[in-house]
Amino acid sequence: MLILRCIEIMIHISEQLLCEASTVYKYIQEDGSNRGTYGKLVCTNFKIAFLDDDSTSDDNEPQLKNKIIGENDITLQCVDQIYGVYDEKKKLLTGQLRKYPEKLIIYCKDLRVFNFCLRYTKEEEVKRIVSGIIHHSQTPKLLKRLFLFSYASAAPNNTDGRNQTVMFDTLEDWRDELERTKGNVQYKAVSTNEGYKVSEKLPLYFVVPICVSEESILKYEGRGIPIWCWSCHNGAALLKMSAFPKEQDDSTSQMQKAFLDGIYRTIRKPPYELLKTDDLSSSLPSLQEIQTAYTRFKQLFLIDNSTDFWATDVKWFSLLESTNWLEIIRRVLKKAIEVVECLERQHTNVLLIEESATDLCCVISSLVQVMMDSYSRTKLGFQSLIQKEWVIGGHGFLDRCNHLHKSDKEEAPVFLLLLNCVWQLVQQYPPAFEFTETYLTVLSDSLYVPIFSTFFFNSQHQKDTTTTGESLKTQSSPFRFLTVWDWSVQFDLKAQAFLNNPLYAEKPKPEKSQRKTARFKHQRQLSLPLTQTKSSPKRGFFREETDHLIKNILGKRIGKFINSSDEPPNSFREFYDSWHSKPVDYHGLLLPRIDGPEIKVWAQRYLRWIPEAQLHGGGTIATAAKILDLMKEVQNLQVKMDEEHSQAVSGDIHAVPMLRSSARLSSLFPFALLQRQSVKPALPTSTWKDLEDEDDLVKRDDEFVDLSSDVL
């Protein structure tokens, strides 16, 4: 029976079994009682999987069941760190081992923790499985050795890969986006980079100001060229630019300065009256700071057992603050609001500058569009946004996620930072989003599923050259990469229902009689009341800020943001407070609340695997369950009314997911049901085992622990 189940874990003929071990004991994360189940631990070229001997009850299966990744499956790219236990002491496992552990602990990037006991496993099997897991999940590898290519070489051809998401891999896609945002008057889509003759880092097609010549784009491989991201309803645009390298000799710097002067003279004329520049490398945390903060932050959720959980409970908020992760989220959201103010209230173009314009530029430009453009808050709109700004925009997913384990220095959770920021908006304004927090959580998990090409390349060039290189001549069939946006690959229709927000306030369509009058008006009505702005004299695109911009692009450090002389210093606060004093228009401008405790921990993603943190019959899922019950009741009444009116029998309605009784659910839903209960120890403190007097515990202050010494 176990052999048959071992065969069943293979998702495709391209998946190969590499090593296995029998009589492995998997611990259940609970109360330190060492309870668990026996089974077989296997490692394939796709994942690590545990096959338990006991059949799992259907009553305990999560409703959001992934068709690719099982509850006890870990993709090789999802493995974060592996520890071995020797005589009750943990040791990080890397490379060749002289002695093999009696216990194996696998920490995952989706924050799951697996504990395996190998005491009852044959010694030879222990050596094979431990060595195999370390080798295939931790050692550097070549790009084409990823399971992504094995799967794509024989991928099924029966999926709708695009799934109506705009992929931005054609010139027409960019022209349609220009037309949608009314930016086609001032900007143009260009094909100058066809064949990647300008730069391998740029996409084949992109958008620039209409008066920028092809010669200018070719001059310095696309550097120093303002590239269009999005146009506001008032004509102001959001642009980005990759800066020149900081280390340059004098002659090169002079040539680059002359080039920028030429760009200035070319596009100084209207309609580019105003421009504000922002060097994100000086106004936001560095990638290294972001990585350090997240490394500290995730340690709070990688819990081995109940004892560890309760040991940190008494000082959890101190530990959370010391990570600085929530502060980084707050700073990023604040920066996005600053950009929104320039575009919306000041009617000013904003140019974001970064060394490569593929990291923090992607975060800020995406957040601005989510806040200002209601289309980006629909599921298709958000997916198209990720395609435009991140996938085609050249974000280095391969390096930032460290999929190849080649360089830890390049690793940084930039895309996770965006999802954390978007989640803040989703939980503050649920009716404004067509998708749910479960959608964002599943999307973050998909970063580590190597059957989708979406998050496994550094650029469009890398993907194209890898799939059309000489090595492909030996392939019997071309690669057919799947996109993550085809959710049917991972979930059935019932599970996909959890990705859609049933409370989404869908934008009403205008009546036919109103369409003509509304044709020349922007369709996104703003919550912020219209404010009078001073009419500015015609100024060139770079007229009054050329020197600042040139210094910025050449790598010189300048101020965080260039303020015009007639702008009050508290302009941001006025804009922020004014918007929050008005009723929210869910189809208009959205500004997140960023003061103090308004920035919260994304509980569903970070706490879903910790039974001790669950709320029995509570949490957001309890509210959602009640609302969905009411919606189901309304739908049933509507069906009955329709039947009585038409005397026709209708089929079952499946638009709303059916939830079990909210009393049986926990805040871990839909990733897990109410399966286990954890008893909080009588002395919930880091030294509860030391038999201290209760009086001493009461008097002792909350401990503040610096996690920096624990970061590897």
Side-chain angles (χ1 to χ4, degrees):
M1 183 66 179
L2 197 56
I3 296 176
L4 293 177
R5 294 187 59 206
C6 190
I7 295 174
E8 288 175 1
I9 70 167
M10 307 298 183
I11 65 167
H12 197 265
I13 193 172
S14 56
E15 186 173 3
Q16 301 173 359
L17 181 64
L18 302 175
C19 51
E20 60 183 308
S22 302
T23 325
V24 175
Y25 191 74
K26 177 180 176 289
Y27 292 110
I28 296 176
Q29 265 191 11
E30 196 177 352
D31 53 8
S33 62
N34 290 337
R35 287 187 292 173
T37 180
Y38 283 100
K40 176 178 285 190
L41 186 61
V42 302
C43 179
T44 74
N45 59 337
F46 171 56
K47 64 177 180 279
I48 302 164
F50 177 77
L51 307 173
D52 57 0
D53 296 337
D54 301 327
S55 59
T56 304
S57 171
D58 292 338
D59 191 54
N60 285 332
E61 284 192 357
Q63 289 200 16
L64 189 72
K65 188 174 181 180
N66 196 307
K67 295 193 291 187
I68 299 173
I69 310 298
E71 185 179 2
N72 291 321
D73 295 345
I74 316 166
T75 65
L76 297 179
Q77 279 64 46
C78 191
V79 176
D80 191 4
Q81 290 181 323
I82 302 174
Y83 280 83
V85 178
Y86 301 86
D87 299 325
E88 303 303 323
K89 293 182 179 179
K90 286 199 313 183
K91 179 182 178 182
L92 182 66
L93 302 183
T94 56
Q96 295 291 332
L97 301 180
R98 294 182 179 179
K99 183 180 179 181
Y100 290 87
E102 56 192 31
K103 292 182 182 179
L104 194 67
I105 305 176
I106 301 178
Y107 294 95
C108 304
K109 293 181 180 178
D110 62 4
L111 305 178
R112 289 180 296 169
V113 180
F114 289 86
N115 290 265
F116 300 107
C117 177
L118 306 174
R119 291 175 181 171
Y120 314 109
T121 309
K122 293 180 181 179
E123 185 177 352
E124 288 301 318
E125 291 186 358
V126 170
K127 291 181 180 180
R128 283 198 298 268
I129 194 65
V130 173
S131 299
I133 289 176
I134 294 174
H135 174 74
H136 294 290
S137 67
Q138 300 291 287
T139 57
K141 55 179 63 67
L142 298 175
L143 175 60
K144 287 191 176 181
R145 291 295 182 92
L146 292 177
F147 181 73
L148 173 72
F149 291 89
S150 299
Y151 187 86
S153 63
N157 200 22
N158 58 351
T159 59
D160 179 14
R162 296 178 70 95
N163 197 31
Q164 298 182 344
T165 299
V166 182
M167 306 301 283
F168 288 96
D169 53 1
T170 66
L171 199 61
E172 288 71 23
D173 287 346
W174 287 99
R175 287 171 176 167
D176 291 343
E177 180 70 359
L178 277 173
E179 184 177 354
R180 186 186 73 83
T181 60
K182 306 299 186 289
N184 48 359
V185 176
Q186 304 175 27
Y187 300 90
K188 63 180 179 180
V190 295
S191 57
T192 311
N193 199 37
E194 283 188 335
Y196 300 101
K197 59 184 179 182
V198 177
S199 173
E200 295 178 355
K201 296 182 179 180
L202 290 174
L204 287 174
Y205 312 104
F206 52 91
V207 175
V208 296
I210 205 166
C211 47
V212 172
S213 65
E214 182 176 345
E215 291 73 19
S216 298
I217 299 174
L218 291 167
K219 182 73 174 178
Y220 287 105
E221 299 182 346
R223 290 186 180 271
I225 297 296
I227 295 178
W228 177 87
C229 297
W230 180 76
S231 286
C232 185
H233 63 94
N234 57 26
L238 179 63
L239 306 106
K240 63 182 177 181
M241 178 186 291
S242 57
F244 289 114
K246 294 183 178 181
E247 301 297 331
Q248 298 281 359
D249 54 47
D250 292 339
S251 60
T252 304
S253 296
Q254 290 297 323
M255 291 175 59
Q256 292 171 353
K257 184 178 185 300
F259 168 72
L260 293 175
D261 285 336
I263 290 290
Y264 158 61
R265 287 191 297 270
T266 301
I267 57 177
R268 63 185 292 181
K269 302 175 182 179
Y272 312 103
E273 289 84 15
L274 292 171
L275 177 76
K276 292 249 179 144
T277 64
D278 195 341
D279 179 10
L280 298 182
S281 61
S282 62
S283 61
L284 287 177
S286 66
L287 297 184
Q288 184 177 4
E289 291 172 326
I290 294 172
Q291 171 66 5
T292 300
Y294 183 72
T295 301
R296 295 174 178 175
F297 176 74
K298 71 181 180 182
Q299 298 304 318
L300 299 178
F301 310 99
L302 292 170
I303 304 297
D304 287 349
N305 50 61
S306 296
T307 303
D308 290 347
F309 177 84
W310 294 117
T312 59
D313 181 58
V314 73
K315 53 193 175 186
W316 197 83
F317 285 107
S318 298
L319 294 171
L320 177 63
E321 184 180 5
S322 69
T323 68
N324 205 40
W325 178 247
L326 295 186
E327 175 61 20
I328 288 177
I329 292 174
R330 189 194 68 81
R331 288 180 61 184
V332 169
L333 288 171
K334 184 175 184 293
K335 174 59 63 179
I337 297 174
E338 290 176 358
V339 175
V340 168
E341 182 202 6
C342 291
L343 294 169
E344 173 58 38
R345 191 163 92 163
Q346 301 178 28
H347 296 197
T348 301
N349 299 299
V350 177
L351 179 64
L352 305 175
I353 300 176
E354 195 182 13
E355 181 180 355
S356 62
T358 57
D359 288 305
L360 294 176
C361 277
C362 298
V363 176
I364 299 301
S365 63
S366 299
L367 285 175
V368 168
Q369 292 175 65
V370 170
M371 292 179 191
M372 300 189 71
D373 190 348
S374 60
Y375 173 68
S376 296
R377 301 195 286 268
T378 65
K379 193 161 74 168
L380 286 179
F382 185 73
Q383 293 174 176
S384 300
L385 173 66
I386 300 303
Q387 277 292 136
K388 179 179 70 170
E389 299 295 337
W390 294 79
V391 180
I392 299 299
H395 177 67
F397 284 105
L398 194 67
D399 291 340
R400 295 294 178 249
C401 297
N402 201 16
H403 287 316
L404 300 180
H405 293 279
K406 285 190 173 181
S407 175
D408 292 341
K409 294 181 180 179
E410 295 293 326
E411 186 174 2
V414 185
F415 187 66
L416 277 179
L417 177 60
L418 169 75
L419 296 184
N420 275 265
C421 292
V422 173
W423 178 85
Q424 302 292 332
L425 283 159
V426 169
Q427 64 95 18
Q428 290 181 17
Y429 308 106
F433 291 85
E434 189 183 30
F435 50 86
T436 61
E437 68 167 339
T438 301
Y439 169 88
L440 295 175
T441 302
V442 169
L443 184 58
S444 71
D445 292 342
S446 300
L447 279 170
Y448 316 113
V449 182
I451 71 167
F452 306 110
S453 64
T454 310
F455 303 132
F456 276 83
F457 291 101
N458 284 331
S459 63
Q460 187 180 10
H461 169 266
Q462 186 183 48
K463 179 181 178 181
D464 290 347
T465 54
T466 304
T467 56
T468 58
E470 293 183 358
S471 61
L472 259 186
K473 295 179 181 178
T474 61
Q475 296 284 342
S476 58
S477 61
F479 289 142
R480 289 191 294 273
F481 289 117
L482 302 182
T483 174
V484 73
W485 312 127
D486 185 1
W487 294 107
S488 64
V489 177
Q490 295 192 69
F491 304 104
D492 57 25
L493 290 178
K494 182 179 179 181
Q496 288 182 56
F498 291 104
L499 310 182
N500 304 320
N501 181 12
L503 303 181
Y504 173 58
E506 190 171 355
K507 187 174 182 179
K509 296 181 180 179
E511 298 292 338
K512 292 183 179 180
S513 59
Q514 298 176 350
R515 289 177 183 173
K516 289 186 177 181
T517 59
R519 181 175 298 175
F520 299 104
K521 295 182 180 180
H522 179 61
Q523 296 298 313
R524 298 187 292 272
Q525 298 178 353
L526 301 176
S527 298
L528 184 72
L530 294 177
T531 55
Q532 293 183 351
T533 56
K534 296 181 180 179
S535 58
S536 304
K538 300 288 183 178
R539 286 188 283 180
F541 189 54
F542 291 92
R543 175 75 60 87
E544 295 186 2
E545 298 179 358
T546 309
D547 293 336
H548 295 288
L549 179 59
I550 292 175
K551 290 180 181 179
N552 201 350
I553 297 174
L554 294 177
K556 309 289 185 179
R557 294 184 66 85
I558 65 171
K560 289 186 178 181
F561 210 82
I562 301 174
N563 294 310
S564 56
S565 57
D566 57 349
E567 179 184 335
N570 61 346
S571 170
F572 167 83
R573 197 70 213 183
E574 286 183 7
F575 178 73
Y576 180 84
D577 291 339
S578 174
W579 187 89
H580 282 285
S581 66
K582 306 296 181 182
V584 177
D585 175 7
Y586 292 120
H587 302 292
L589 177 66
L590 286 185
L591 296 185
R593 297 185 293 272
I594 60 174
D595 294 331
E598 298 289 356
I599 303 299
K600 295 179 172 59
V601 174
W602 184 358
Q604 186 190 65
R605 182 176 196 273
Y606 296 111
L607 295 173
R608 57 184 159 151
W609 311 122
I610 305 177
E612 294 80 8
Q614 65 185 333
L615 300 175
H616 306 307
T620 56
I621 189 59
T623 304
K626 295 295 184 183
I627 294 174
L628 291 176
D629 286 343
L630 290 174
M631 293 182 64
K632 185 65 177 178
E633 188 175 344
V634 170
Q635 284 188 344
N636 290 336
L637 290 173
Q638 184 65 50
V639 169
K640 290 182 179 180
M641 292 175 61
D642 292 342
E643 288 177 352
E644 292 178 358
H645 183 266
S646 61
Q647 298 298 321
V649 179
S650 300
D652 294 333
I653 301 296
H654 298 289
V656 179
M658 291 297 294
L659 303 182
R660 309 186 186 201
S661 171
S662 60
R664 294 194 63 249
L665 297 176
S666 79
S667 53
L668 303 181
F669 186 87
F671 295 94
L673 297 180
L674 182 56
Q675 299 179 28
R676 304 183 293 271
Q677 296 190 16
S678 177
V679 180
K680 183 176 181 180
L683 301 177
T685 153
S686 58
T687 56
W688 68 278
K689 284 186 175 182
D690 295 341
L691 299 178
E692 293 181 300
D693 292 336
E694 290 186 345
D695 292 340
D696 294 333
L697 289 172
V698 171
K699 294 176 182 178
R700 191 170 62 188
D701 293 331
D702 188 12
E703 298 176 49
F704 183 87
V705 177
D706 185 4
L707 290 179
S708 59
S709 60
D710 298 330
V711 179
L712 297 175

